[in-house]
């Protein structure tokens, strides 16, 4: 009887410990269920054929339906036609691999605006079935910002390409980051190589010109560009000759700093040959009129 009483006491203690462990497990399960259901990301468990086995509330919101109605529906049904192939490739790679896979798709559920999503998935085995767990991250705002930036860059390029002035944009080190069509045409038509194309340091181009015939202009340009980039000067301009074997030409260089947080400069070369020729013609005409006036003054008797 004593042994039975001791055994009964041991069983009661074990039962009490088991009950406490069960309560702890239930609390943890409830905690993780809350974390799963109310997570800001969409979580899905997909079968090998892409049907939804489980999902949280955020996932149901992304697909635009009640969670109970989405069970056993194919996830690919909600993927846009343009990105469905990418999703199928992602699903297949996730199921056969042990590492995490990613892809970007567009969700287009009926009655809701399309949203850009980044999927991260990893495969798992449940019994004899292959499944994958997928986290869906909404990147719509980032994609929209990227597209807006691309549209802004295209707009800027269109505006710059419509100008006849030769324009280049330099970064803080003097490296060319953008040129317009007029800049490219000028160097192509004048036998220029890649010395003034995107990726080249324009300050080095000016330094290399110090050893040539135009060393004075190159030195002035180098100093002017550097002072604008460094912020020591708000603008700079320089008129200089740029003669070709067939004609005399003059240009004016104007340098302005980049606005905002970006440090650098915009360089504009404008052909002022017509203006210089007009000024020369006016000077020659004025000289001729002065000479005629002197001749007339020295010979008053002549009509």
């Amino acid at each position: 009887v004593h042994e039975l009483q001791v055994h009964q006491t041991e069983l009661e203690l074990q039962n009490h410990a088991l009950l406490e462990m069960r309560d702890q497990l239930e609390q943890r399960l409830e905690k993780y269920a809350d974390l799963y259901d109310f997570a800001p990301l969409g979580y899905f468990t997909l079968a090998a054929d892409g049907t939804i086995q489980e999902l949280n509330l955020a996932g149901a919101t992304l697909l635009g339906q009640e969670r109970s109605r989405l069970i056993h529906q194919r996830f690919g049904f909600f993927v846009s036609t343009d990105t469905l192939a990418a999703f199928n490739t992602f699903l297949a790679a996730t199921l056969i691999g042990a590492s995490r896979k990613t892809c970007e798709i567009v969700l287009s559920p009926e009655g809701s605006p399309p949203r850009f999503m980044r999927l991260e998935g990893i495969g798992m085995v449940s019994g004899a079935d292959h499944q994958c767990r997928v986290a869906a991250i909404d990147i719509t705002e980032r994609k929209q910002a990227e597209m807006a930036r691309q549209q802004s860059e295209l707009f800027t390029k269109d505006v710059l390409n419509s100008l006849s002035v030769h324009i280049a944009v330099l970064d803080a080190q003097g490296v060319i980051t953008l040129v317009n069509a007029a800049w490219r045409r000028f160097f192509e038509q004048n036998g220029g190589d890649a010395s003034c194309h995107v990726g080249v340091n324009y300050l080095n181009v000016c330094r290399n010109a110090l050893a040539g015939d135009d060393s004075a202009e190159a030195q002035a340009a180098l100093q002017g560009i550097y002072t604008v980039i460094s912020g020591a000067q708000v603008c700079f301009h320089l008129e200089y000759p740029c003669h070709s074997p067939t004609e005399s030409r003059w240009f004016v260089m104007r340098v302005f700093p980049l606005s905002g947080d970006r440090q650098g400069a915009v360089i504009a070369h404008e052909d002022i040959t017509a203006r210089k020729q007009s000024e020369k013609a006016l000077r020659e005409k004025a000289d001729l009129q002065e000479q005629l006036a002197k001749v007339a003054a020295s010979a008053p008797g002549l009509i």
Side-chain angles (χ1 to χ4, degrees):
V1 171
H2 176 70
E3 289 179 355
L4 289 175
Q5 289 175 343
V6 171
H7 185 61
Q8 180 180 0
T9 302
E10 291 177 349
L11 290 177
E12 289 175 352
L13 292 174
Q14 292 178 1
N15 185 53
H16 181 69
L18 289 173
L19 291 174
E20 287 184 347
M21 185 178 296
R22 187 193 66 180
D23 292 339
Q24 292 177 0
L25 291 175
E26 289 179 349
Q27 291 176 1
R28 292 180 181 179
L29 180 61
E30 183 179 356
K31 174 183 176 181
Y32 287 112
D34 289 342
L35 290 174
Y36 177 81
D37 281 337
F38 298 105
L41 304 182
Y43 291 121
F44 300 87
T45 300
L46 305 181
D49 59 355
T51 56
I52 301 172
Q53 304 297 308
E54 295 179 9
L55 75 162
N56 66 347
L57 295 175
T61 302
L62 289 173
L63 301 185
Q65 294 186 21
E66 295 180 3
R67 179 159 55 172
S68 59
R69 297 180 57 188
L70 291 167
I71 301 298
H72 303 309
Q73 288 198 51
R74 288 184 179 271
F75 187 88
F77 176 76
F78 302 94
V79 179
S80 69
T81 305
D82 296 337
T83 59
L84 183 57
F87 168 73
N88 291 333
T89 302
F90 159 79
L91 180 62
T94 302
L95 290 170
I96 63 175
S99 60
R100 186 181 300 273
K101 307 296 181 181
T102 63
C103 77
E104 292 186 3
I105 64 167
V106 176
L107 284 181
S108 56
E110 185 177 355
S112 301
R115 304 197 66 83
F116 293 90
M117 307 299 301
R118 183 172 185 266
L119 302 184
E120 296 184 359
I122 188 168
M124 66 178 202
V125 178
S126 177
D129 299 328
H130 288 271
Q131 297 177 336
C132 69
R133 290 175 178 167
V134 178
I137 306 167
D138 193 336
I139 57 172
T140 303
E141 292 185 2
R142 192 197 79 189
K143 281 292 186 179
Q144 290 175 342
E146 289 179 358
M147 289 188 292
R149 178 180 56 80
Q150 292 172 357
Q151 291 295 326
S152 178
E153 291 177 352
L154 290 175
F155 175 78
T156 301
K157 287 182 180 180
D158 290 341
V159 172
L160 292 178
N161 289 335
S162 67
L163 302 176
S164 59
V165 179
H166 313 150
I167 296 178
V169 179
L170 311 184
D171 65 10
Q173 287 71 43
V175 177
I176 300 174
T177 60
L178 177 66
V179 298
N180 69 341
W183 179 285
R184 291 191 297 269
R185 284 196 301 269
F186 178 80
F187 285 97
E188 291 172 358
Q189 293 170 359
N190 289 272
D193 52 16
S195 61
C196 289
H197 289 182
V198 173
V200 174
N201 192 305
Y202 192 70
L203 297 179
N204 290 338
V205 174
C206 296
R207 293 188 184 98
N208 295 334
L210 294 176
D213 298 333
D214 302 324
S215 58
E217 289 83 2
Q219 179 63 44
L222 178 63
Q223 184 66 25
I225 296 171
Y226 179 77
T227 56
V228 171
I229 291 178
S230 63
Q233 191 171 342
V234 295
C235 63
F236 170 78
H237 77 276
L238 171 70
E239 292 187 6
Y240 62 95
C242 184
H243 305 316
S244 70
T246 59
E247 60 178 337
S248 298
R249 300 177 303 187
W250 287 266
F251 286 82
V252 60
M253 170 195 283
R254 295 185 177 88
V255 185
F256 303 94
L258 291 176
S259 59
D261 297 332
R262 298 181 60 184
Q263 188 179 7
V266 178
I267 298 180
H269 294 269
E270 182 180 2
D271 192 335
I272 57 172
T273 302
R275 193 195 79 189
K276 285 288 188 180
Q277 291 174 344
S278 298
E279 292 175 353
K280 180 181 178 182
L282 289 174
R283 286 195 302 269
E284 291 175 349
K285 182 178 179 180
D287 292 341
L288 179 59
Q289 289 176 345
E290 184 179 356
Q291 292 176 5
L292 290 176
K294 289 180 180 180
V295 171
S298 64
L302 295 177
I303 301 178

